[in-house]
């Protein structure tokens, strides 16, 4: 038996650190691949199951209500957004300041944010599909992953020429939705860009159109109502065909002779708590307490703002799940008593 190790065994030991580094690198590559696959699967799941910014104040809009102060984070779609499906039907143009999604008979398209958020204020200017958009659905929403996912939805249901879009909103928590409210807008959303915003913080979720709150969903966990606050979410958007239900209950079908259908996006901004899966924490976990710079994190509507919102809802809301006794013969959730 040899008293000293051979050159081969020394060479074997010296290669161990390299093998360890290689194995770690392979692990991280696989991990990233799984995360990307999960993100794309989430976008597909929502597709199959169904969704330098300034808040614009329109003189033709209902009385303006103050939205929370927004600290604008400039950036391009190249920096913050990735086209996630639809091949070349999703395009980032004008040096990253314009994004378009298109739909033809073969496929629609969609995008998602590069980052996940654990609470955020999201703003996007959108110009919807013009003309005869019957059967088409344009979505703009936040969503987590998994079967018991959270989701905050804007969905725009197209219509035939001359008839209004339906603005559909919904809130999912732990996989449970069925909290729909629908509106007719007070302007033509295809003639120009309008700003659609989602504010999501630990106190509430508020839907804004051109800086005007149209819906509020408050955190009422103390009353046994689940609230989406424990799962990080990405921003998603898609343009797809749903003519089996989207327009007049599926009675009006998509006219494919008019394809491709195109929706346009610009002026994306956000304030958010960026979530890290590596540390299982968000940027707000280590930041100082909220200040005037991130007032959105504690913002909620005051009494005066709620009165104005209810006046808008009375004029423009066309469906409210809280008043649907046919779907909910045993009654809706306790949150409806406070709406």
């Amino acid at each position: 038996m040899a008293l000293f190790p051979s050159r081969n065994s020394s060479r074997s030991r010296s290669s161990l650190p390299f093998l360890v580094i290689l194995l770690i690198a392979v692990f991280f590559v696989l991990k990233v691949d799984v995360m990307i696959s999960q993100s794309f699967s989430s976008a597909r799941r929502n597709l199959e199951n169904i969704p330098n910014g300034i808040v614009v104040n329109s003189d033709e809009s209902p009385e303006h209500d103050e939205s929370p102060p927004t600290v604008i984070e400039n950036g391009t779609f190249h920096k913050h957004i990735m086209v996630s499906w639809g091949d070349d039907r999703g395009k980032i143009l004008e040096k990253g300041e314009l994004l378009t999604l298109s739909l033809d008979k073969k496929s629609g398209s969609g995008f998602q944010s590069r980052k996940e958020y654990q609470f955020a204020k999201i703003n996007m200017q959108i110009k919807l599909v013009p003309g005869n958009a019957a059967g088409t659905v344009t979505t703009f929403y936040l969503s987590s992953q998994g079967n018991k996912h959270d989701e905050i939805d804007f969905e725009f249901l197209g219509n035939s020429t001359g008839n209004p879009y339906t603005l559909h909103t919904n809130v999912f928590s732990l996989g449970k939705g069925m909290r729909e409210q629908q509106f007719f807008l007070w302007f033509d959303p295809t003639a120009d860009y309008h700003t659609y915003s989602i504010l999501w913080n630990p106190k509430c979720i508020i839907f804004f159109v051109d800086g005007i709150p149209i819906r509020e969903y408050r955190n009422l966990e103390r009353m046994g109502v689940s609230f989406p606050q424990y799962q990080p979410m990405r921003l998603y958007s898609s343009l797809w065909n749903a003519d089996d239900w989207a327009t007049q209950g599926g009675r009006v079908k998509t006219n494919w002779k008019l394809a491709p259908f195109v929706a346009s996006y610009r002026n994306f901004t956000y304030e958010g708590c960026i979530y890290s899966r590596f540390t299982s924490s968000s940027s707000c976990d280590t930041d100082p307490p909220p200040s005037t710079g991130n007032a959105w994190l504690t913002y909620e509507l005051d009494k005066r703002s709620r009165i104005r919102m209810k006046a808008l809802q009375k004029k423009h809301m066309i469906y409210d799940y809280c008043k649907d006794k046919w779907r909910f013969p045993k009654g809706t959730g306790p949150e409806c008593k406070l709406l």
Side-chain angles (χ1 to χ4, degrees):
M1 181 174 67
L3 295 177
F4 299 99
S6 67
R7 291 184 180 179
N8 288 337
S9 57
S10 297
R11 188 179 299 113
S12 176
R13 281 200 302 270
S14 65
S15 65
L16 282 177
F18 172 78
L19 290 174
V20 171
I21 293 172
L22 181 61
L23 287 172
I24 292 173
V26 170
F27 171 80
F28 277 108
V29 168
L30 291 174
K31 183 71 172 176
V32 169
D33 184 63
V34 169
M35 290 174 64
I36 293 174
S37 298
Q38 289 174 339
S39 299
F40 287 5
S41 296
S42 177
R44 285 194 298 269
R45 178 202 69 218
N46 284 282
L47 171 64
E48 292 165 358
N49 293 340
I50 353 211
N52 307 316
I54 347 177
V55 174
V56 177
N57 302 324
S58 173
D59 294 336
E60 298 178 0
S61 303
E63 186 177 359
H64 175 64
D65 198 339
E66 292 184 0
S67 62
T70 300
V71 177
I72 297 175
E73 176 175 325
N74 291 321
T76 65
F77 284 114
H78 287 304
K79 181 178 179 182
H80 298 293
I81 299 294
M82 59 185 292
V83 175
S84 52
W85 64 280
D87 298 323
D88 60 353
R89 293 173 183 83
K91 293 182 172 65
I92 297 177
L93 308 166
E94 297 183 3
K95 298 181 179 179
E97 298 304 326
L98 174 68
L99 188 151
T100 61
L101 296 179
S102 66
L103 163 70
D104 55 38
K105 197 168 185 177
K106 185 177 180 181
S107 177
S109 52
F111 66 76
Q112 68 180 55
S113 62
R114 294 183 180 275
K115 296 180 180 179
E116 290 181 289
Y117 312 103
Q118 186 77 52
F119 305 121
K121 169 83 186 297
I122 304 288
N123 307 297
M124 183 77 80
Q125 289 191 332
I126 306 174
K127 183 163 64 173
L128 298 176
V129 175
N132 185 353
T136 70
V137 177
T138 305
T139 67
F140 178 67
Y141 61 102
L142 290 166
S143 181
S144 65
Q145 302 174 15
N147 293 329
K148 293 188 176 181
H149 74 291
D150 296 339
E151 190 167 314
I152 306 168
D153 289 338
F154 271 120
E155 293 185 325
F156 305 90
L157 313 185
N159 213 332
S160 52
T161 304
N163 293 305
Y165 265 78
T166 297
L167 171 55
H168 177 100
T169 66
N170 202 356
V171 175
F172 286 74
S173 181
L174 299 177
K176 179 183 177 182
M178 302 179 71
R179 301 182 178 101
E180 301 93 343
Q181 288 183 351
Q182 294 182 340
F183 305 81
F184 283 153
L185 295 167
W186 51 93
F187 53 82
D188 179 358
T190 74
D192 203 351
Y193 289 90
H194 291 268
T195 303
Y196 304 93
S197 306
I198 297 172
L199 183 145
W200 167 46
N201 67 28
K203 293 186 175 183
C204 60
I205 295 165
I206 305 175
F207 297 79
F208 294 91
V209 176
D210 286 342
I212 302 166
I214 65 167
R215 178 178 183 179
E216 178 188 34
Y217 184 85
R218 285 184 273 177
N219 186 343
L220 298 175
E221 283 201 334
R222 68 184 186 279
M223 299 174 59
V225 181
S226 61
F227 184 83
Q229 61 177 328
Y230 304 110
Q231 302 185 75
M233 294 197 266
R234 289 185 191 273
L235 173 67
Y236 295 92
S237 185
S238 60
L239 174 58
W240 57 289
N241 177 52
D243 64 2
D244 55 335
W245 64 268
T247 306
Q248 299 180 31
R251 290 189 295 274
V252 182
K253 301 299 182 180
T254 304
N255 184 352
W256 293 113
K257 293 180 181 179
L258 303 175
F261 303 96
V262 179
S264 303
Y265 303 75
R266 70 181 188 187
N267 290 342
F268 165 66
T269 63
Y270 76 92
E271 301 169 83
C273 302
I274 305 302
Y275 186 80
S276 167
R277 290 197 173 271
F278 182 75
T279 61
S280 298
S281 63
S282 82
S283 56
C284 294
D285 293 341
T286 56
D287 284 350
S291 63
T292 54
N294 51 6
W296 66 272
L297 196 51
T298 57
Y299 180 85
E300 56 186 331
L301 298 179
D302 56 23
K303 183 177 180 180
R304 182 167 170 264
S305 299
R306 288 196 181 102
I307 290 173
R308 291 180 174 179
M309 181 181 68
K310 290 182 182 298
L312 180 147
Q313 291 175 341
K314 186 175 181 180
K315 187 175 181 181
H316 297 282
M317 185 186 290
I318 57 174
Y319 176 82
D320 183 359
Y321 77 106
C322 286
K323 299 178 181 179
D324 193 335
K325 296 181 180 180
W326 183 81
R327 285 179 67 199
F328 306 102
K330 296 182 180 180
T332 52
E335 74 274 11
C336 289
K337 297 176 182 178
L338 298 179
L339 291 178

